[in-house]
Amino acid sequence: MIRTLKHLTYTLRTGLATINDILANIDSYYISWSKVKTDKDTGLPLTDADGNHRTRQLNSTKIELKRIQKRILALLMSHVEIPTYAFGGVPNKDNIKNAKYHQGNKYIFTTDLRSFFPSISHNRVFEVYCDNGYSPTVARILTKLTTYKYQLPQGVPTSTLLALLAFKPTGDKLYDYALQHNLKFSIFVDDITISSKVDFKHLVPDILDIIVSAGYKISHNKTHYSTKNPIITGIKCQNNRIKLPQSTYKRMSKLPKDSNSYKGLIMYRKRIDSNGE
């Protein structure tokens, strides 16, 4: 494991002077903007209690920092243990396979972790690096290279994996709880799904307590307990098939058929119709 700065710069194929320059001028390496949040089922803008559009802050990084972050991501992916219950930001898994994982279970609980990325502090990211074998000195530099304004920035290459690793202690508790009660549990980025063939509504308070007691917040308007054709990570789950929800077909009908968006949704629908293969 990487214990020294010399080993770190060699692995990231960059110099310490370059890293120090980036960290000294970190604001100039980030581009941030706000995006209106939309309902995952209808595509309509979400509003707050005052009727204002709800937004999320997205970030991208400029070439040199993005290059380093991609190398950090590759480094982490090469040796960290990815939980089997994770479907977001994981090779060969996606939202379709996440939905299919729960197909056939009648009772479905879904919830969304509110402001998931910003809720993960630079201190928690530092702990993630230390927990995975990096020395405190190296972990400190890696934390500075992958956090912004003391939190995990949404939209940069390393954030989805780091968010998953930060959530892992809580995810492991949910996974163990699910096993004890014959439930299926998965997480797709910030979307949590738990399902069973038998009614487990009485267990939902315990599930929520595991999440909230760890310091995470849930989106109450995205928290549902369903028993018929639930929408899981944007996919309609029926007993013997998965399909696009009707709201997505309505969005498709409004798109020009020669547009890239329409063609992309057609390909997406074909993957769903073939059960995600």
Side-chain angles (χ1 to χ4, degrees):
M1 192 49 61
I2 298 176
R3 311 291 297 177
T4 67
L5 292 181
K6 183 178 180 180
H7 189 185
L8 177 66
T9 54
Y10 173 80
T11 303
L12 297 182
R13 304 197 299 279
T14 190
L16 188 57
T18 299
I19 291 176
N20 287 335
D21 180 69
I22 290 173
L23 297 181
N25 302 280
I26 195 68
D27 286 340
S28 66
Y29 284 89
Y30 274 87
I31 302 170
S32 302
W33 68 96
S34 294
K35 181 180 180 181
V36 174
K37 293 183 178 181
T38 57
D39 185 277
K40 293 178 181 177
D41 299 333
T42 66
L44 296 175
L46 295 173
T47 57
D48 59 23
D50 297 322
N52 300 313
H53 284 167
R54 293 168 54 191
T55 62
R56 64 163 53 89
Q57 181 166 307
L58 297 176
N59 305 269
S60 63
T61 44
K62 295 183 180 177
I63 294 175
E64 188 57 37
L65 178 55
K66 180 174 286 187
R67 185 180 296 122
I68 289 174
Q69 288 172 338
K70 287 182 177 179
R71 290 170 183 165
I72 294 172
L73 175 62
L75 176 64
L76 286 168
M77 290 296 295
S78 70
H79 72 273
V80 299
E81 181 181 354
I82 304 296
T84 57
Y85 54 75
F87 283 78
V90 177
N92 303 315
K93 289 186 176 181
D94 57 17
N95 67 308
I96 301 175
K97 291 185 178 179
N98 179 63
K100 186 167 177 59
Y101 176 67
H102 296 277
Q103 182 186 334
N105 283 352
K106 179 179 179 180
Y107 301 92
I108 310 283
F109 171 74
T110 56
T111 191
D112 178 280
L113 299 172
R114 182 155 56 92
S115 300
F116 184 39
F117 289 88
S119 72
I120 299 172
S121 70
H122 67 296
N123 290 327
R124 183 69 191 99
V125 174
F126 174 77
E127 291 173 0
V128 166
Y129 286 118
C130 290
D131 290 345
N132 282 279
Y134 297 93
S135 71
T137 299
V138 170
R140 199 168 291 113
I141 295 296
L142 289 172
T143 299
K144 290 179 179 179
L145 288 169
T146 53
T147 59
Y148 184 53
K149 295 184 177 179
Y150 307 107
Q151 63 190 28
L152 204 57
Q154 186 168 355
V156 305
T158 45
S159 286
T160 299
L161 179 59
L162 286 172
L164 171 63
L165 296 175
F167 186 75
K168 188 174 181 295
T170 305
D172 288 350
K173 288 181 182 178
L174 289 169
Y175 179 74
D176 290 341
Y177 186 85
L179 280 182
Q180 291 169 16
H181 296 278
N182 296 314
L183 312 175
K184 277 189 170 183
F185 158 67
S186 69
I187 183 169
F188 180 80
V189 189
D190 56 359
D191 290 324
I192 288 174
T193 305
I194 297 177
S195 68
S196 176
K197 295 186 183 303
V198 298
D199 190 357
F200 66 98
K201 193 172 185 178
H202 62 289
L203 300 178
V204 169
D206 288 345
I207 294 167
L208 292 176
D209 184 64
I210 292 172
I211 298 169
V212 174
S213 63
Y216 296 100
K217 298 178 181 179
I218 65 165
S219 297
H220 291 284
N221 63 324
K222 297 180 182 179
T223 301
H224 306 286
Y225 187 82
S226 308
T227 59
K228 185 178 180 181
N229 298 336
I231 304 295
I232 300 176
T233 50
I235 308 294
K236 187 174 184 179
C237 258
Q238 297 178 322
N239 189 50
N240 56 4
R241 67 174 296 194
I242 56 175
K243 59 184 293 187
L244 274 178
Q246 193 61 36
S247 57
T248 305
Y249 282 107
K250 288 181 180 179
R251 295 213 315 270
M252 286 176 65
S253 68
K254 298 176 182 178
L255 293 171
K257 289 185 170 51
D258 59 349
S259 68
N260 289 333
S261 295
Y262 183 85
K263 292 176 183 176
L265 282 172
I266 290 294
M267 294 300 294
Y268 180 56
R269 187 191 67 188
K270 288 180 179 178
R271 284 195 58 231
I272 295 171
D273 291 343
S274 62
N275 283 318
E277 299 302 327

